[in-house]
Amino acid sequence: MAIVLALSGSPSRASRTAFLAGHTTAELRARGHQTHVLALRDLPAAPLLAADIHDPSLARAVSRVAEADALVVATPIYKAAYSGLLKTFLDLLPQHAFTGKPVLPLATGGSAAHVLALDYALRPVLTALGAQVCQGRFVLDRHLTTTPDGAMTLDRDAQRQLARVVDQFDLALPSRAHLTAA
Ligand SMILES: Cc1cc2nc3c(=O)[nH]c(=O)nc-3n(C[C@H](O)[C@H](O)[C@H](O)COP(=O)(O)O)c2cc1C
């Protein structure tokens, strides 16, 4: 069992990316892991923009990254890259914050033309933080729909494709027993 923290990097209140992060953590819990989600939009804006790491909420968020064995990093594609909100948070972290941690990158976007943004934009940033970057997944926003009662759903094919990526990520996760013994 690993402790996995999902960072959700959309500024939107009703966020497809946040839903995807939640769906992914549910898949990981079903595989026996302990999961948490950190919605970056909930962090206080002024300290975040000022990189005030002494702000208690930001300090706690940074600690949660340090405490996690692995991370899911989920972002909407904005202007052919990851969101500015995600980058603002990643810039607060120590240089080697992800060292030794498997990281699963996820993105939602409106155009298949930007599917490679995970590789050309997000992957280098995660690598610079020391991450062991796992195979990620880009999900088109039209595959995340809202039902008349307001609930969001991920279509069946996208669920199956995501489950395969989660299976691979699961193989990269350390077990807590192993970590304790080390
Ligand atoms: C400001 C803005 C810029 C966007 N730029 C792109 C883009 O360059 N490529 C793309 O595929 N989708 C783009 N989109 C679409 C979003 O990535 C997509 O709708 C995503 O699922 C939104 O995620 P969210 O609901 O979590 O905010 C953009 C959306 C917004 C609001």
Side-chain angles (χ1 to χ4, degrees):
M1 187 274 287
I3 296 175
V4 184
L5 177 67
L7 305 179
S8 173
S10 173
S12 307
R13 190 163 50 85
S15 163
R16 294 180 179 88
T17 308
F19 179 82
L20 186 66
H23 180 88
T24 304
T25 53
E27 290 271 328
L28 288 165
R29 281 196 302 280
R31 289 162 176 77
H33 302 291
Q34 185 182 324
T35 68
H36 307 278
V37 177
L38 176 59
L40 302 180
R41 74 181 300 278
D42 293 339
L43 295 174
L48 188 61
L49 287 175
D52 177 8
I53 56 168
H54 300 297
D55 174 87
S57 299
L58 292 192
R60 177 73 196 118
V62 172
S63 296
R64 289 174 73 184
V65 170
E67 288 158 14
D69 301 317
L71 292 106
V72 174
V73 175
T75 181
I77 301 299
Y78 281 177
K79 307 287 192 286
Y82 44 76
S83 70
L85 175 60
L86 175 62
K87 186 63 160 61
T88 306
F89 179 71
L90 294 179
D91 286 351
L92 286 180
L93 298 175
Q95 180 67 51
H96 303 293
F98 289 172
T99 297
K101 299 180 197 282
V103 175
L104 170 61
L106 298 176
T108 69
S111 166
H114 287 148
V115 66
L116 290 178
L118 275 181
D119 288 326
Y120 67 67
L122 185 55
R123 179 178 284 266
V125 180
L126 301 176
T127 301
L129 286 161
Q132 175 193 336
V133 185
C134 298
Q135 177 70 48
R137 188 81 210 157
F138 175 100
V139 177
L140 281 169
D141 57 7
R142 61 176 171 271
H143 295 152
L144 290 147
T145 46
T146 306
T147 58
D149 62 358
M152 211 174 272
T153 58
L154 179 62
D155 79 22
R156 286 275 173 84
D157 278 352
Q159 279 190 32
R160 272 193 288 273
Q161 288 156 3
L162 186 68
R164 279 199 286 273
V165 165
V166 172
D167 281 339
Q168 285 178 4
F169 182 56
D170 185 25
L171 293 175
L173 294 180
S175 75
R176 274 267 126 187
H178 167 74
L179 291 175
T180 308

